[in-house]
Amino acid sequence: GAVVSQHPSWVICKSGTSVKIECRSLDFQATTMFWYRQFPKQSLMLMATSNEGSKATYEQGVEKDKFLINHASLTLSTLTVTSAHPEDSSFYICSAPLGLEGFNEQFFGPGTRLTVL
Amino acid sequence: GNSVTQMEGPVTLSEEAFLTINCTYTATGYPSLFWYVQYPGEGLQLLLKATKADDKGSNKGFEATYRKETTSFHLEKGSVQVSDSAVYFCALSEGTGGSYIPTFGRGTSLIVHP
């Protein structure tokens, strides 16, 4: 099946620093990727839709200046958490659909655990 | 907007017990429905899917039937194993005009004891 990777798998940083998380589709092209935040009680919160060659679409309540998304190529999207604070500590997951229609499944990255001290 | 509601967990069962995890949805059109599973320490992966009414998705002994009349997609397994312990997410995706943002339920944790 299709593979999506994320890097790094975990990161610890100091408050006020910025952290970049990469999401790559390894064996297929993805014009769209999705970024989620997973909270301790398992729920997935969709943060934004990353669109190759255009601006990301952010969900309501997600600060676009805080969570910068860049979809530079058909296989790479990056999420940068700027000026991270402890409340940004979470598990960040990306996914990419295979195909152009909503009927296809999402392929998920393994997630990135961010801890802000 | 679209939404997915699934039963609260955790669901705790003994090995070989019957499993049902309820999932209902609301959608403006005709979505595809999915169950994803997240094993401890791993990312989400597709368990099964159904793309139209009355379709039955099945995989690894799990089944779910797309019920349009009740807007449901309940997950079932006749005999669970310890290795099925994981978090299960019901989801929908609606392809409308090129927009197909996935919508997920909150997840249901399943714990299977030997």
Side-chain angles (χ1 to χ4, degrees):
Chain A
V3 178
V4 173
S5 69
Q6 275 183 247
H7 178 80
S9 54
W10 58 270
V11 56
I12 302 172
C13 69
K14 292 182 179 179
S15 186
T17 61
S18 294
V19 175
K20 180 186 284 188
I21 302 170
E22 293 185 348
C23 177
R24 293 182 185 271
S25 56
L26 297 185
D27 49 2
F28 67 103
Q29 294 181 335
T31 56
T32 300
M33 291 183 177
F34 299 98
W35 286 97
Y36 310 83
R37 189 171 171 178
Q38 187 171 28
F39 293 97
K41 291 193 175 182
Q42 311 134 22
S43 63
L44 278 175
M45 183 193 83
L46 178 66
M47 299 175 66
T49 303
S50 174
N51 303 299
E52 189 270 335
S54 64
K55 290 182 180 179
T57 305
Y58 290 82
E59 296 299 302
Q60 191 173 7
V62 177
E63 299 176 59
K64 60 182 180 182
D65 295 330
K66 172 81 173 171
F67 298 99
L68 300 179
I69 290 172
N70 183 33
H71 199 140
S73 75
L74 287 171
T75 59
L76 173 64
S77 174
T78 59
L79 168 68
T80 301
V81 183
T82 62
S83 187
H85 288 92
E87 58 266 29
D88 299 323
S89 299
S90 192
F91 195 55
Y92 293 88
I93 302 173
C94 70
S95 75
L98 182 58
L100 297 177
E101 299 180 357
F103 308 114
N104 293 295
E105 67 188 88
Q106 297 290 325
F107 289 89
F108 286 85
T112 298
R113 172 73 59 191
L114 170 63
T115 301
V116 185
L117 302 177
Chain B
N2 297 343
S3 68
V4 174
T5 303
Q6 56 183 109
M7 61 191 292
E8 293 273 341
V11 173
T12 305
L13 296 173
S14 298
E15 206 165 23
E16 299 184 1
F18 184 86
L19 167 72
T20 299
I21 301 178
N22 290 337
C23 171
T24 56
Y25 68 91
T26 58
T28 53
Y30 301 94
S32 291
L33 302 174
F34 307 84
W35 276 101
Y36 290 87
V37 58
Q38 186 177 30
Y39 296 105
E42 299 184 15
L44 279 78
Q45 56 186 278
L46 180 70
L47 179 60
L48 54 85
K49 70 176 182 181
T51 57
K52 60 183 188 296
D54 300 324
D55 268 3
K56 178 185 284 188
S58 61
N59 185 25
K60 299 181 181 180
F62 291 89
E63 292 183 342
T65 301
Y66 190 142
R67 301 287 188 198
K68 187 169 181 295
E69 64 276 13
T70 55
T71 62
S72 65
F73 193 54
H74 304 322
L75 182 68
E76 297 182 335
K77 186 174 185 182
S79 176
V80 293
Q81 306 300 312
V82 172
S83 57
D84 294 326
S85 298
V87 181
Y88 293 82
F89 292 89
C90 186
L92 70 82
S93 180
E94 193 170 16
T96 306
S99 171
Y100 46 96
I101 296 174
T103 303
F104 287 85
R106 292 180 57 86
T108 302
S109 175
L110 170 65
I111 302 169
V112 181
H113 293 294

